[in-house]
Amino acid sequence: MPLPDGVPSGTVYSGPVANAAGRMGTGTVTLIPVRKVTGHGAIIPASPVTLTVVAGVIPPQLVAATDDPAMGPPWVYEVHESLNGTYADPYHIEVPTGATVNLSTVAPVQVTPDWSRVVGSVNGVRPDINGNVEVDTALVQVIRRSTLTFGSPNRPPLAALASGAYQVTARMMQDSAITPTRYRLLYANVDSQSGVYAGTPLTLATAYVGTPAFDDPNYRGKWLGNFAAPPVQVYAGGGAVPTAGPTADLVTPWITNAGEITAGKPFVVSLGLIPGSGGAGVVVSDCFGAVVATPTAANQAGVVAPADGYAFAGGLGDLRVQMEGPADPGADLIVVGVGASGDSGYTAGNPAAGIRALADPPDAWLSAATRRAGRQVINLAANGSSLTDWTNPDGRIYTRVDLTTTVPDLAIIGTMVANDCQIGRDVGDILDDYAAVVDVLRGMGIPRVVGCTIPPAALAGSEEDVRREFNGVLGSGTLFALDGVIDLDAAVRDPANVAVMQADLLSVDGLHPLIRGHMVLASAARIT
């Protein structure tokens, strides 16, 4: 088998094989590469290898490892044998010298690996783009990594925040399906769809995490931006936010979670930002975000209720929280969602009825559906995006999150096709690009990909005809080898007029659902 990129070539295993007990037969032998690692930064091969044994012989194959002394202690394999219908207890062998290995003569070795944390799959090893996996000795457990996003930064920057005269507090809310052992903040001043940086010099002076106070009397106690109690300061490094670069982010050091982020409990991240002179300001996202910006106020990031009040301008910048926590084989499921505003949680609300415009990221149907299942969602949905934005795996729209170490089990393709219909694309081109997006997600190693039909989207004429034709093709299950289809269209369309959404679910713009509409969409998904 070919070697993964970045894995040094080494001993070649091929030819006759017998098991450790000397039994010849048929079945499989699985070799799981491990290593006696001495420090951070070592690598291990990309994945276990299962070899088929026929009459005691494995046809010539490569199972690569390295015994290069420069790489440190020798490689070992954990060997799992299933021969003649019997499963043997696993054992370890060191990388031997020579072109073949005979498992009946290679002496097992006692191995107590020093490595204790593998970023990646708990059922095998997940490679990065070079075929390597980060290993260090910081924690005494196998962990999984996940990332929470805070809205879709794609609106024009607030130009007033480019003068260098302001201290800014920006607050955004999320909730997590896991309680992390540790986490870190990633921040960029960039349009998540286009990858264009606003270019304003920013300093992240401080960051706090705390519990939101749900104090809006007009709409079911919605969050207004305040903390329920004094928050915890988690960062005070005064870091400079990069002003350019396709994947450039300010990344804080890892923060040990002391209970400020708990599974199933909403939390708020409050950033103290100092804009420098120049650039276009700070990019705004279409989520509900509380902002304080005055020329003279002291930093308000850590106070329960800022003295200067708020402007509800949406989130500022592209904030993400990368988390690590103990893996739970058989229960863990990380979902990544790709899509547009109908998936990010955006809503125009209904101000006349006291329903506040813009939604918090947990209000998105993708978040609600996964939360109900006790799963974690990485919601990458970018407002205004169409399929062509998602056909390049190297674009900012994907690389906001490191999908090589944050390992999704399931991808959900949301409702961005509505934007393709709106710009007048024909169904053939849409289907071609949809297939390309499926290929991109499969190419990332995501084992399951699910599609969604497109809800009514204020389309008319040929645009509406294309939406219905696409839904018909997708719902037939005959294309793309999808693992399932979520029928969002059927969940929210008006039975009396299938071209529109039910009125009580639709926000004032006639296009996006209210939060209650997102909840109905979430009920259409069965994530197990």
Side-chain angles (χ1 to χ4, degrees):
M1 59 184 295
L3 306 185
D5 291 341
V7 176
S9 60
T11 303
V12 176
Y13 293 80
S14 63
V17 174
N19 76 337
R23 291 184 294 120
M24 305 290 283
T26 60
T28 61
V29 173
T30 297
L31 303 176
I32 301 177
V34 297
R35 182 178 174 84
K36 291 183 276 188
V37 174
T38 57
H40 179 82
I43 61 172
I44 57 181
S47 61
V49 178
T50 298
L51 307 178
T52 301
V53 180
V54 179
V57 175
I58 298 176
Q61 299 179 63
L62 292 179
V63 183
T66 178
D67 52 1
D68 181 356
M71 295 298 295
W75 293 91
V76 299
Y77 281 115
E78 184 174 290
V79 183
H80 294 251
E81 298 175 348
S82 181
L83 297 176
N84 302 324
T86 302
Y87 178 78
D89 290 337
Y91 59 94
H92 293 90
I93 60 171
E94 285 194 355
V95 173
T97 301
T100 62
V101 58
N102 188 321
L103 297 182
S104 67
T105 59
V106 173
V109 295
Q110 182 67 36
V111 175
T112 305
D114 292 333
W115 61 273
S116 53
R117 184 175 67 88
V118 177
V119 177
S121 171
V122 297
N123 297 313
V125 178
R126 175 71 174 197
D128 64 16
I129 58 174
N130 295 315
N132 304 326
V133 174
E134 176 188 2
V135 180
D136 72 24
T137 57
L139 301 175
V140 190
Q141 58 194 3
V142 176
I143 62 95
R144 292 200 72 175
R145 184 176 285 181
S146 184
T147 303
L148 290 175
T149 61
F150 289 74
S152 168
N154 72 323
R155 298 175 66 192
L158 292 177
L161 303 183
S163 67
Y166 287 84
Q167 292 190 27
V168 183
T169 292
R171 292 184 176 176
M172 290 165 276
M173 186 174 73
Q174 255 293 10
D175 63 8
S176 175
I178 65 172
T179 298
T181 304
R182 64 177 190 168
Y183 61 94
R184 61 186 177 185
L185 309 181
L186 286 70
Y187 187 81
N189 188 16
V190 62
D191 183 318
S192 61
Q193 178 192 355
S194 68
V196 174
Y197 280 71
T200 300
L202 289 174
T203 298
L204 180 58
T206 186
Y208 291 80
V209 176
T211 302
F214 294 98
D215 47 9
D216 185 341
N218 294 319
Y219 185 55
R220 295 191 299 185
K222 188 168 177 61
W223 176 59
L224 281 179
N226 293 334
F227 288 112
V232 177
Q233 186 177 29
V234 298
Y235 177 71
V241 179
T243 57
T247 59
D249 293 294
L250 167 68
V251 182
T252 70
W254 287 104
I255 302 158
T256 300
N257 184 27
E260 59 270 18
I261 300 178
T262 304
K265 182 179 178 182
F267 67 96
V268 171
V269 178
S270 181
L271 306 177
L273 297 167
I274 303 174
S277 298
V282 184
V283 173
V284 180
S285 62
D286 282 312
C287 71
F288 189 84
V291 179
V292 177
T294 66
T296 58
N299 176 37
Q300 299 284 292
V303 301
V304 171
D308 297 285
Y310 291 110
F312 296 97
L316 286 187
D318 187 11
L319 172 65
R320 287 137 292 139
V321 175
Q322 190 178 66
M323 303 177 170
E324 290 183 352
D328 183 4
D332 279 355
L333 180 69
I334 296 176
V335 180
V336 62
V338 301
S341 53
D343 314 292
S344 73
Y346 177 77
T347 176
N350 188 348
I355 300 174
R356 188 178 295 278
L358 299 182
D360 296 303
D363 295 328
W365 76 265
L366 271 172
S367 298
T370 52
R371 184 168 61 244
R372 290 175 183 180
R375 310 304 189 187
Q376 186 83 314
V377 65
I378 306 165
N379 193 346
L380 295 181
N383 296 6
S385 65
S386 58
L387 285 170
T388 53
D389 294 304
W390 296 97
T391 56
N392 176 14
D394 299 320
R396 174 74 191 183
I397 206 164
Y398 281 113
T399 55
R400 303 169 67 197
V401 172
D402 181 3
L403 294 176
T404 62
T405 58
T406 299
V407 186
D409 303 282
L410 169 68
I412 297 178
I413 303 174
T415 62
M416 66 282 244
V417 171
N419 292 327
D420 290 272
C421 296
Q422 194 171 49
I423 61 178
R425 303 188 71 203
D426 65 56
V427 73
D429 290 341
I430 288 174
L431 292 172
D432 287 344
D433 279 349
Y434 202 95
V437 173
V438 173
D439 288 344
V440 165
L441 296 169
R442 299 267 191 212
M444 292 175 175
I446 300 171
R448 288 173 287 173
V449 180
V450 169
C452 298
T453 59
I454 310 306
L459 303 172
S462 61
E463 297 172 4
E464 172 64 8
D465 291 340
V466 169
R467 181 186 76 89
R468 295 190 198 184
E469 184 175 357
F470 171 82
N471 283 350
V473 173
L474 192 74
S476 70
T478 58
L479 294 179
F480 316 128
L482 292 171
D483 295 280
V485 175
I486 302 170
D487 196 350
L488 300 182
D489 179 35
V492 296
R493 68 191 179 206
D494 186 341
N497 182 1
V498 296
V500 300
M501 197 178 297
Q502 297 172 41
D504 62 333
L505 305 179
L506 187 61
S507 70
V508 71
D509 67 1
L511 174 61
H512 296 93
L514 293 168
I515 293 174
R516 68 169 67 107
H518 279 282
M519 296 304 106
V520 173
L521 290 171
S523 69
R526 297 289 182 267
I527 298 173
T528 60

